[in-house]
Amino acid sequence: MKSVFTILLLVLSNTFMTFAWYGHLKFKELKWFENLGLISIVLISWGNAFFEYIFQVPANRIGFSENGGPFSLVELKVLQGVITLVVFMVFTFLFFKNESIKVNHLIGFGFLILAVYFIFKK
């Protein structure tokens, strides 16, 4: 159950982080954000990142094997990286419809899946 809880927290964490890192790129389309300066945008993104930490820190504490969790530190990091890419792709498809996936992207994702396989192989 700790593994499922860890993964769910990582998905939530990465959702907030993706919005913090890339969500502001859509602000120009929103009337009430269009005139904000860079400092304002950074502060808004920083506020989003705060929520990322609310989920990321517990995910790592619950999931880490030395705290009784199911994952080694390396496994946690690779898992987090793959979740980041999945969340990013969903975000991109929903909010940046002009972006496309190319063959080299798919090949790269395939290598990441292989990385997960080898990292988790006992």
Side-chain angles (χ1 to χ4, degrees), residues 46-64:
W46 195 30
N48 281 339
F50 169 77
F51 292 102
E52 183 262 345
Y53 279 86
I54 287 175
F55 297 109
Q56 181 76 27
V57 171
N60 287 333
R61 290 185 67 83
I62 292 166
F64 186 44

Side-chain angles (χ1 to χ4, degrees), residues 26 29 90-101:
K26 297 299 272 185
E29 297 174 8
V90 170
F91 174 84
T92 300
F93 286 136
L94 292 176
F95 295 103
F96 290 88
K97 305 220 186 278
N98 59 330
E99 294 290 325
S100 62
I101 298 246

